[in-house]
């Protein structure tokens, strides 16, 4: 069984370490900044072997150079963005296997937020590291891709097993819930997630990881193909990606 360690970086970014206790391999998924990653390594006593990068944005890559210099770790990055990420050792694409010690991850291309964004799914461990594609009760802004592309990426993630634990790049859950209620004011699963998130935040705890089952039930961006969601944004009968685009546009304006 792998171990994980989650910690805040920058303002609202998450860093996470994935550790194989069998042989000591440890991956950082993204490296927002070096210092909190080093603190996390000290806290856990783990030694950094790999950095698995989801996308090129500075708040996910800013710590790579310093960490690479200190630990000589391997940097794995999406093929489509390797030129924009420092010190890449290996590039990966859809369906490639990424090993962290004996842990085996699979690469899912999830473009939309950026054109080459990837996610890492560890099927045996039911862990998914989704960067800025999917957030708890939200999703990333569509910056480099199209709404249709982002919707396809979300469908790919939605197809992961219900009990998959979702690690995303930011603590945005509270604001996401506030917005989600404007789309689905009477969703019981959303209400339930809100209660849980209020408790976690009041206790100073992260709302991450979330569980795919709960996201499917409460995240409006994963629910754009439901008739009631289409109706609620005035798009009954429209293709799901258009409903998704409307929800995303409303969130951008909120
Ligand atoms: Zn980003
Ligand atoms: Fe980000």
């Amino acid at each position: 069984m792998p171990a994980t360690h989650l910690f805040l970086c920058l303002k609202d970014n998450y860093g996470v370490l994935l550790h194989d206790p069998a042989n000591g391999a440890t991956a950082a998924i993204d490296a927002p900044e070096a210092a909190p990653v080093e603190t996390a390594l000290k806290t856990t006593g783990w030694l950094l072997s790999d950095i698995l990068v989801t996308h090129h944005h500075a708040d996910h890559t800013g710590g790579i150079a310093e960490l690479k210099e200190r630990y000589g770790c391997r940097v794995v990055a999406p093929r489509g963005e390797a030129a924009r990420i420092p010190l890449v050792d290996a590039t990966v694409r859809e369906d490639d296997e990424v090993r962290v010690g004996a842990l085996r991850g699979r690469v899912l291309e999830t473009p939309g937020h950026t054109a080459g964004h990837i996610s890492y799914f560890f099927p045996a461990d039911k862990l998914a590291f989704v960067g800025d594609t999917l957030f708890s009760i939200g999703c990333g802004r569509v910056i480099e891709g199209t709404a249709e592309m982002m919707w396809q990426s979300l469908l790919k993630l939605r197809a992961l097993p219900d009990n998959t634990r979702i690690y995303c790049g930011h603590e945005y859950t509270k604001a996401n819930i506030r917005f989600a209620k404007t789309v689905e004011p009477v969703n019981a699963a959303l209400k339930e997630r809100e209660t849980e998130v209020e408790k976690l935040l009041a206790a100073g705890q992260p709302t991450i990881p979330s569980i795919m089952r709960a996201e499917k039930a409460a995240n409006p961006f994963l629910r754009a193909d439901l008739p009631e969601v289409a109706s609620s944004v005035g798009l009954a009968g429209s293709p799901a990606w258009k409903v998704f685009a409307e929800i995303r546009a409303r969130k951008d304006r909120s």
Side-chain angles (χ1 to χ4, degrees):
M1 273 296 283
T4 55
H5 180 76
L6 182 77
F7 50 96
L8 275 171
C9 296
L10 301 171
K11 185 167 148 275
D12 52 29
N13 275 77
Y14 275 124
V16 58
L17 298 178
L18 172 67
H19 176 72
D20 178 2
N23 63 12
T26 301
I29 288 74
D30 288 335
E33 53 177 343
V37 176
E38 293 187 50
T39 302
L41 290 165
K42 277 198 193 105
T43 304
T44 54
W46 300 342
L47 189 66
L48 191 65
S49 52
D50 306 88
I51 301 175
L52 310 183
V53 182
T54 62
H55 67 296
H56 70 81
H57 284 161
D59 65 314
H60 298 257
T61 57
I64 292 174
E66 229 176 301
L67 293 167
K68 173 104 181 153
E69 186 180 357
R70 177 152 308 188
Y71 299 96
C73 49
R74 174 182 69 143
V75 177
V76 178
R79 188 178 61 157
E81 300 188 351
R84 305 173 74 175
I85 296 168
L87 305 171
V88 172
D89 295 297
T91 64
V92 288
R93 51 169 295 174
E94 179 76 12
D95 231 20
D96 279 351
E97 185 179 85
V98 175
R99 292 196 191 188
V100 177
L103 309 175
R104 288 163 184 240
R106 192 158 57 81
V107 173
L108 305 172
E109 290 180 351
T110 50
H113 177 67
T114 63
H117 193 299
I118 60 172
S119 301
Y120 298 88
F121 175 54
F122 289 74
D125 313 300
K126 302 287 187 288
L127 291 171
F129 302 94
V130 300
D132 287 357
T133 298
L134 177 65
F135 295 129
S136 183
I137 318 299
C139 75
R141 274 177 193 265
V142 181
I143 298 173
E144 294 177 9
T146 64
E148 194 165 9
M149 187 187 282
M150 189 68 159
W151 170 244
Q152 290 303 326
S153 294
L154 291 176
L155 285 181
K156 198 185 271 187
L157 294 177
R158 194 179 72 176
L160 296 178
D162 273 354
N163 58 351
T164 303
R165 279 178 290 158
I166 310 292
Y167 285 86
C168 60
H170 292 267
E171 180 59 69
Y172 289 159
T173 315
K174 188 181 178 187
N176 286 341
I177 290 173
R178 195 183 315 129
F179 170 76
K181 287 164 75 181
T182 68
V183 180
E184 287 199 281
V186 292
N187 179 327
L190 179 57
K191 189 78 211 144
E192 199 178 305
R193 179 73 173 135
E194 183 180 32
T195 305
E196 177 186 46
V197 163
E198 278 169 358
K199 267 189 207 144
L200 287 168
L201 294 177
Q205 298 289 314
T207 66
I208 303 306
S210 71
I211 300 290
M212 182 52 81
R213 182 185 302 105
E215 292 301 319
K216 283 161 76 170
N219 186 330
F221 295 99
L222 294 180
R223 298 167 56 78
D225 53 352
L226 294 176
E228 62 267 34
V229 172
S231 299
S232 117
V233 294
L235 287 173
S238 291
W241 73 266
K242 285 194 176 170
V243 176
F244 166 78
E246 171 62 18
I247 300 172
R248 189 57 256 180
R250 289 183 182 202
K251 177 69 168 66
D252 289 347
R253 292 193 299 266
S254 74

